[in-house]
Amino acid sequence: MTTINVGLLGLGTVGRGVATILARQTPQLASLHLKITRAAVRTLTPKRQAQFPAIALTTDALAVVNDPDIQIIVEVMGGIDLPFALLKQALKNGKQVITANKDLIATHGQALTALAAKHHVGLNYEAAVMGGIPILRTLNTNFAGDAITGLAGIANGTSNFILTQMAAGCSYAEALAQAQAKGFAESDPTNDVEGLDAAYKLLILTRLAFDLNAKLANIHRQGITTLRRADFAAADFFGFTIKPLVSARRLDNQLDLTVAPTLVPKSHPLSGVVNEFNAIVLASTNTHELMLTGPGAGSLPTANAVIADLQATALALQDGHTPELAGLAPQPSTALDQPTRQLIALSTNGLVTGLDVATQLGIHGQIYASGDQLHLLTQAVDRQTIAQWRDALNHFVGISLQHILPIFSPDLQGTVTKFQTDEKKISFTA
Amino acid sequence: MTTINVGLLGLGTVGRGVATILARQTPQLASLHLKITRAAVRTLTPKRQAQFPAIALTTDALAVVNDPDIQIIVEVMGGIDLPFALLKQALKNGKQVITANKDLIATHGQALTALAAKHHVGLNYEAAVMGGIPILRTLNTNFAGDAITGLAGIANGTSNFILTQMAAGCSYAEALAQAQAKGFAESDPTNDVEGLDAAYKLLILTRLAFDLNAKLANIHRQGITTLRRADFAAADFFGFTIKPLVSARRLDNQLDLTVAPTLVPKSHPLSGVVNEFNAIVLASTNTHELMLTGPGAGSLPTANAVIADLQATALALQDGHTPELAGLAPQPSTALDQPTRQLIALSTNGLVTGLDVATQLGIHGQIYASGDQLHLLTQAVDRQTIAQWRDALNHFVGISLQHILPIFSPDLQGTVTKFQTDEKKISFTA
Ligand SMILES: NC(=O)c1ccc[n+]([C@@H]2O[C@H](COP(=O)([O-])OP(=O)(O)OC[C@H]3O[C@@H](n4cnc5c(N)ncnc54)[C@H](OP(=O)(O)O)[C@@H]3O)[C@@H](O)[C@H]2O)c1
Ligand SMILES: NC(=O)c1ccc[n+]([C@@H]2O[C@H](COP(=O)([O-])OP(=O)(O)OC[C@H]3O[C@@H](n4cnc5c(N)ncnc54)[C@H](OP(=O)(O)O)[C@@H]3O)[C@@H](O)[C@H]2O)c1
């Protein structure tokens, strides 16, 4: 069996994890004869090179991509433009490509997939979505005869960690500081807390689960920065936990795509996924409901996903066939507006009551008031109505609107949630 | 692309599901060109044949296995001896084999795997363990560079359904009747409620997760038939739910294998897996913790797993290479005795107190008494100590021992659970 040479682009958190796991050479790995021969980094020092005696380090990433002795390129450097250029070159050179880069795949996945198909090589990116959870391989190997009708998940560990701390009583600032101290959040956490990272992952999931090619602009995206302790108290009162969800619900070829802090019923397993853990629930015709939970990031969990791609690629190379492509040719999608229930969070001047607001706006639902905080749990409405409410609430004297949060419907089958009043709660009809 | 002919052995619950899904011909399935040409049944009538006009039904299973036009044999008939003989013949004939038969694979999996390797054909059995959950493929594709240290799961939907009803207040008899009414339990439920079905699945999981070849006799097996409502009340008081668990914990090449109704902390996600759902938690060095939840049985979920195997087999045949084998060459295992905490359930004559029992037997832990029911939550002990207790309790005047249940340690890393007293509970030291 001849050795398969691997070139790494990047030797940071994930890259080092890949090198560490491969160095362990379990019997299964040994049988694959994989060897990292070169790795590209930004900063090269003799000390750094000494840490990886068997790997030739270089600052010239293009030289790795053009190395004729290398069969597999693993991109774990991050960014979009540079890795795009490098991986295009790698594919044109006939090399198998593996990447952990969600931003790149969400943005240029379609072009790279087409290029890989043209050159009869594999393009795999299991690590790019929910690090340690083998969700892409599951989507590719388990649903050939099944139709996914909806999915929902926790795709950003940083946000989940922050909301878990807030549910336990922290303020947003305290929770963010804790996440930063633990290395879960970067010094500029914008991409995580504004839902952009999760949105990229949702785009990739959407492509594989629904064979539909959506864009960032198709996603209704809402960050977690406006949440306060009072929201968690209100959610708790109504029987929910607030989770940073991505969700996609299908009706024919239309999709409703949302990234938002969402109220999840406490009885639903997603509400029990805490701290930095990720999870995904798939609703489908045959399997009904499948849920996967695991670490969404971190050096070894993410590297393990890269190793799984390396195993698949190496087995395919040994057998002399083209590795299965991760993606299919996507079709255009149109946006769908599926009504959901909402929780409206308001501050009041003390003179205005929830009934005033509800009556004036024609909102049906339940009220939870505590101090100057007012929460209205509403009936299922469409996005146009929410926009109208938002507009009206912004002009309502005596209150200030904080945010409107969607409520997760465990029925992911693409149907409308029926609004039910609960006799034990204070209910009203405007 | 030439058509790949499939022969079904059995056209019952699972077999009909396979035929139904294949008949739908999704684009992904269509690209595989799979066609069921023949199917073996026990009872053949013209009416039955008319329901499957495209499939030639026969009562001669051997004729299907020997049909030179068939490339893939799917065994969904059940039993052990007959399917073993048929599949040996199929493998010798150079056919790819897929089966949903856990009893067969648990009993003769090693021999069939060796035979498949000898004849360079694939043997896949995703549907045999936890029907709709793609656990075997995950074990085979995600852990080449990772070391699994422990696993725990709910592998029998019937038992989980029964215990879920009992946790909600039903007696064992009521819960069993409900399971039978819903079609989850057979009229003779012995295999399910005595843990034999789960034990077979545990043997298969053990082979793939630890590369160790255990036997039924290596498994500490306990059924759910002795459970009473009082056990659920006691478990609840101590902060646990009772779940029908399979578990395997590794220390070097030693394994502790258990099938038993087990107390799971309410904070652990396994405790939230209810009704007929199955689940598995894998603890490993790289991924740390991965959990999969889904339907463990049923026509379409199980058939979907068969379809996933068909997809893998068809892709491999199209590429002209040997499909990846589901199993590795297993090594012998030795049994390990890892101490766990236990819940001892007793009936008393009213004169004997928990303290009497604990003092005389030297048991440390906590007591919960209600009516004539007494429950002792003990420290972590080894199996020899439990056997000694059992013996002593059987001779103790004034009590009758009902059962001793293990307590799940969420730390599956093969270490000993540290016993911690909880200040809010009645604690004692004998
Ligand atoms: N970290 C996670 O948990 C995780 C999880 C899932 C996906 N990912 C994805 O994996 C990728 C890598 O993440 P990471 O956390 O490992 O990042 P990182 O720790 O910042 O490592 C990046 C590596 O790439 C190298 N690099 C950057 N620009 C380069 C250039 N122009 N030329 C040569 N080398 C260059 C860096 O070199 P220096 O070391 O010299 O700076 C570093 O070794 C990203 O796309 C990320 O989104 C990460
Ligand atoms: N049902 C589930 O949810 C499930 C889940 C996981 C795994 N499995 C496994 O899948 C297998 C099939 O289960 P099932 O529920 O589909 O069983 P089933 O409904 O009883 O179907 C068995 C089929 O095999 C046929 N058959 C039995 N003996 C035969 C013989 N000697 N010659 C020819 N045909 C014969 C029967 O023919 P007739 O129809 O003429 O009787 C029937 O069509 C079993 O190994 C089971 O453990 C089942």
Side-chain angles (χ1 to χ4, degrees):
Chain A
M1 193 66 64
T2 51
T3 300
I4 299 173
N5 291 331
V6 178
L8 281 187
L9 307 180
L11 199 52
T13 306
V14 182
R16 279 196 311 271
V18 172
T20 304
I21 297 174
L22 268 186
R24 276 191 216 136
Q25 287 290 303
T26 60
Q28 271 197 69
L29 280 183
S31 73
L32 300 175
H33 304 278
L34 291 161
K35 186 176 188 299
I36 302 174
T37 54
R38 295 179 79 170
V41 291
R42 239 175 332 208
T43 319
L44 178 51
T45 60
K47 191 176 156 216
R48 195 169 189 187
Q49 175 62 73
Q51 289 174 339
F52 300 92
I55 305 175
L57 302 194
T58 172
T59 54
D60 183 358
L62 195 61
V64 177
V65 161
N66 285 329
D67 185 333
D69 290 334
I70 286 176
Q71 284 92 51
I72 306 178
I73 293 292
V74 174
E75 188 270 304
V76 282
M77 62 195 284
I80 295 186
D81 292 345
L82 179 60
F84 185 41
L86 290 167
L87 295 190
K88 277 195 292 191
Q89 187 59 40
L91 294 169
K92 282 181 197 158
N93 288 345
K95 298 193 194 311
Q96 314 294 328
V97 168
I98 294 166
T99 173
N101 191 330
K102 70 203 139 279
D103 309 19
L104 173 65
I105 291 296
T107 314
H108 297 298
Q110 222 184 340
L112 289 171
T113 302
L115 200 60
K118 186 177 161 198
H119 292 277
H120 305 289
V121 289
L123 170 69
N124 281 283
Y125 41 87
E126 182 64 73
V129 182
M130 304 185 169
I133 303 177
I135 176 60
L136 301 192
R137 185 149 285 115
T138 300
L139 285 172
N140 278 325
T141 57
N142 205 54
F143 292 91
D146 204 357
I148 297 177
T149 53
L151 63 83
I154 298 172
N156 183 270
T158 309
S159 301
N160 196 28
F161 182 85
I162 291 173
L163 297 198
T164 303
Q165 304 317 310
M166 290 184 76
C170 287
S171 70
Y172 175 76
E174 288 163 0
L176 174 61
Q178 276 193 38
Q180 284 167 329
K182 288 199 175 247
F184 293 144
E186 295 174 45
S187 51
D188 176 3
T190 313
N191 273 4
D192 290 326
V193 299
E194 293 298 351
L196 201 67
D197 172 86
Y200 276 137
K201 290 167 183 165
L202 180 58
L203 289 181
I204 300 174
L205 290 170
T206 299
R207 208 181 280 160
L208 297 181
F210 302 101
D211 200 10
L212 285 172
N213 197 38
K215 295 197 176 60
L216 266 189
N218 300 133
I219 299 178
H220 302 273
R221 181 166 56 89
Q222 189 172 346
I224 61 167
T225 57
T226 59
L227 292 176
R228 305 186 184 183
R229 280 181 211 149
D231 295 310
F232 289 84
D236 187 62
F237 174 81
F238 288 121
F240 298 96
T241 315
I242 306 180
K243 286 288 164 193
L245 286 203
V246 302
S247 82
R249 287 198 293 164
R250 177 180 193 149
L251 210 63
D252 301 322
N253 270 1
Q254 288 195 295
L255 271 185
D256 184 288
L257 298 173
T258 307
V259 172
T262 304
L263 277 73
V264 178
K266 283 183 201 164
S267 60
H268 194 278
L270 275 177
S271 74
V273 178
V274 294
N275 293 324
E276 76 279 17
F277 269 71
N278 283 14
I280 182 157
V281 179
L282 302 168
S284 68
T285 309
N286 298 343
T287 314
H288 310 319
E289 190 175 316
L290 187 65
M291 176 164 165
L292 284 73
T293 314
S299 179
L300 287 181
T302 309
N304 195 67
V306 172
I307 296 287
D309 281 349
L310 274 171
Q311 179 189 18
T313 307
L315 286 172
L317 281 176
Q318 285 178 1
D319 280 326
H321 74 97
T322 308
E324 213 174 310
L325 291 182
L328 296 164
Q331 299 151 19
S333 78
T334 48
L336 177 68
D337 183 2
Q338 295 204 23
T340 48
R341 288 197 292 162
Q342 308 281 331
L343 185 72
I344 304 177
L346 306 163
S347 293
T348 76
N349 65 3
L351 299 172
V352 177
T353 72
L355 213 50
D356 296 335
V357 181
T359 309
Q360 285 223 21
L361 272 68
I363 301 173
H364 299 234
Q366 296 160 12
I367 300 170
Y368 176 75
S370 161
D372 67 346
Q373 299 293 308
L374 196 63
H375 284 84
L376 308 181
L377 187 76
T378 78
Q379 76 271 38
V381 289
D382 57 22
R383 286 215 167 78
Q384 205 189 330
T385 307
I386 297 166
Q388 283 164 6
W389 284 349
R390 193 181 291 279
D391 196 49
L393 287 165
N394 280 330
H395 294 90
F396 204 108
V397 177
I399 63 152
S400 95
L401 171 64
Q402 275 147 25
H403 46 238
I404 304 181
L405 305 178
I407 297 176
F408 174 64
S409 154
D411 172 13
L412 285 166
Q413 307 288 336
T415 55
V416 175
T417 310
K418 290 225 179 50
F419 181 63
Q420 293 182 326
T421 50
D422 181 335
E423 294 310 319
K424 280 174 289 183
K425 306 276 159 64
I426 320 145
S427 291
F428 65 86
T429 322
Chain B
M1 193 69 60
T2 50
T3 299
I4 299 173
N5 291 331
V6 177
L8 279 187
L9 307 180
L11 199 52
T13 307
V14 182
R16 279 196 311 273
V18 172
T20 304
I21 297 174
L22 269 186
R24 277 189 215 138
Q25 286 290 302
T26 61
Q28 272 198 68
L29 279 183
S31 72
L32 299 175
H33 303 276
L34 291 161
K35 185 174 189 299
I36 301 174
T37 53
R38 296 179 79 170
V41 291
R42 240 175 332 208
T43 320
L44 179 50
T45 60
K47 190 175 157 218
R48 194 169 190 188
Q49 175 61 74
Q51 290 174 337
F52 301 92
I55 305 175
L57 301 193
T58 172
T59 55
D60 184 358
L62 196 60
V64 177
V65 160
N66 286 330
D67 185 332
D69 290 334
I70 285 175
Q71 285 91 49
I72 305 178
I73 292 292
V74 174
E75 187 269 305
V76 281
M77 63 194 286
I80 295 186
D81 292 346
L82 179 59
F84 185 41
L86 290 167
L87 294 191
K88 277 195 293 190
Q89 187 60 39
L91 294 169
K92 282 181 197 157
N93 289 345
K95 298 194 194 311
Q96 314 294 328
V97 168
I98 293 165
T99 173
N101 190 330
K102 70 203 139 280
D103 310 18
L104 173 65
I105 291 297
T107 313
H108 298 299
Q110 221 184 341
L112 289 171
T113 302
L115 200 60
K118 186 177 160 195
H119 293 276
H120 305 289
V121 290
L123 169 70
N124 281 282
Y125 40 86
E126 183 64 73
V129 181
M130 304 185 168
I133 303 178
I135 177 59
L136 302 191
R137 187 151 284 114
T138 299
L139 285 172
N140 279 323
T141 56
N142 205 53
F143 292 92
D146 204 356
I148 296 176
T149 53
L151 64 82
I154 297 171
N156 184 272
T158 309
S159 301
N160 196 28
F161 182 86
I162 291 173
L163 298 198
T164 303
Q165 304 317 309
M166 289 184 77
C170 287
S171 71
Y172 175 77
E174 288 162 2
L176 175 61
Q178 275 194 39
Q180 283 167 331
K182 289 201 174 244
F184 294 144
E186 296 174 43
S187 53
D188 176 3
T190 312
N191 274 3
D192 289 327
V193 299
E194 294 298 350
L196 201 65
D197 173 84
Y200 276 137
K201 290 167 181 164
L202 181 57
L203 288 180
I204 300 175
L205 290 170
T206 299
R207 208 180 281 160
L208 296 181
F210 302 101
D211 200 11
L212 286 171
N213 197 39
K215 295 198 174 58
L216 266 189
N218 300 132
I219 298 178
H220 301 274
R221 180 166 57 89
Q222 188 172 345
I224 62 168
T225 56
T226 60
L227 291 176
R228 305 186 184 185
R229 279 179 212 152
D231 295 310
F232 288 85
D236 187 61
F237 174 80
F238 288 121
F240 298 96
T241 315
I242 306 179
K243 286 288 163 192
L245 286 204
V246 302
S247 82
R249 287 198 293 164
R250 178 182 192 149
L251 211 63
D252 301 322
N253 271 1
Q254 288 196 294
L255 271 184
D256 185 287
L257 298 172
T258 306
V259 172
T262 303
L263 277 73
V264 178
K266 282 182 200 163
S267 60
H268 194 276
L270 275 176
S271 74
V273 178
V274 294
N275 292 324
E276 76 280 16
F277 269 71
N278 283 14
I280 182 158
V281 178
L282 302 169
S284 67
T285 310
N286 298 343
T287 314
H288 310 319
E289 190 173 317
L290 186 67
M291 176 162 164
L292 284 73
T293 315
S299 181
L300 287 181
T302 309
N304 196 67
V306 171
I307 296 286
D309 280 349
L310 274 171
Q311 179 190 18
T313 307
L315 286 173
L317 281 175
Q318 285 179 0
D319 280 326
H321 74 99
T322 308
E324 213 175 311
L325 291 181
L328 296 163
Q331 298 150 20
S333 77
T334 47
L336 177 68
D337 184 1
Q338 294 205 21
T340 48
R341 288 198 292 162
Q342 308 282 331
L343 185 73
I344 304 177
L346 306 164
S347 291
T348 77
N349 63 5
L351 300 173
V352 177
T353 71
L355 213 50
D356 297 334
V357 180
T359 310
Q360 284 223 20
L361 271 67
I363 301 173
H364 299 232
Q366 296 159 13
I367 300 170
Y368 176 75
S370 162
D372 67 346
Q373 299 293 308
L374 195 63
H375 284 82
L376 308 180
L377 188 75
T378 76
Q379 76 271 38
V381 288
D382 56 22
R383 286 215 167 78
Q384 205 189 330
T385 307
I386 298 166
Q388 284 165 5
W389 285 349
R390 192 181 292 278
D391 196 51
L393 287 164
N394 280 332
H395 294 93
F396 205 108
V397 177
I399 63 153
S400 94
L401 172 64
Q402 275 149 25
H403 46 237
I404 304 181
L405 305 179
I407 297 177
F408 173 64
S409 154
D411 171 12
L412 284 166
Q413 307 287 336
T415 55
V416 175
T417 311
K418 290 228 178 48
F419 182 62
Q420 294 183 326
T421 51
D422 181 334
E423 294 309 318
K424 279 174 288 183
K425 307 276 160 62
I426 320 144
S427 291
F428 65 87
T429 321

